[in-house]
Amino acid sequence: MKSIIKNTLGLAVIMCLAIFSLSGCYESHYNRQYHHHTRHWYDRHHTPPPPGVNFDIDVRR
């Protein structure tokens, strides 16, 4: 029983690390592809977006 709990806990930790890592990989991919961050990134860092970046575009889902 202890080994099942230990294996499950280990798997949960590995999955959390993988999800955290993949989210960072996606943000890096987005930044390389579109050459800018999200609006929230600029708000958090108190910097204006680069010229030509328009966050007010209405995108239909």
Side-chain angles (χ1 to χ4, degrees):
M1 186 68 174
K2 286 183 181 180
S3 65
I4 293 173
I5 293 173
K6 192 172 14 173
N7 288 340
T8 305
L9 184 61
L11 182 62
V13 168
I14 289 171
M15 292 302 291
C16 288
L17 290 174
I19 291 170
F20 181 76
S21 175
L22 289 174
S23 66
C25 291
Y26 178 75
E27 185 176 359
S28 298
H29 167 74
Y30 181 88
N31 294 340
R32 280 194 308 272
Q33 184 173 359
Y34 297 107
H35 306 292
H36 60 82
H37 297 277
T38 61
R39 179 196 317 247
H40 303 293
W41 187 90
Y42 289 108
D43 290 343
R44 281 195 317 267
H45 290 87
H46 307 291
T47 57
V53 174
N54 185 5
F55 289 116
D56 297 326
I57 297 173
D58 185 23
V59 178
R60 292 184 182 194
R61 293 180 183 198

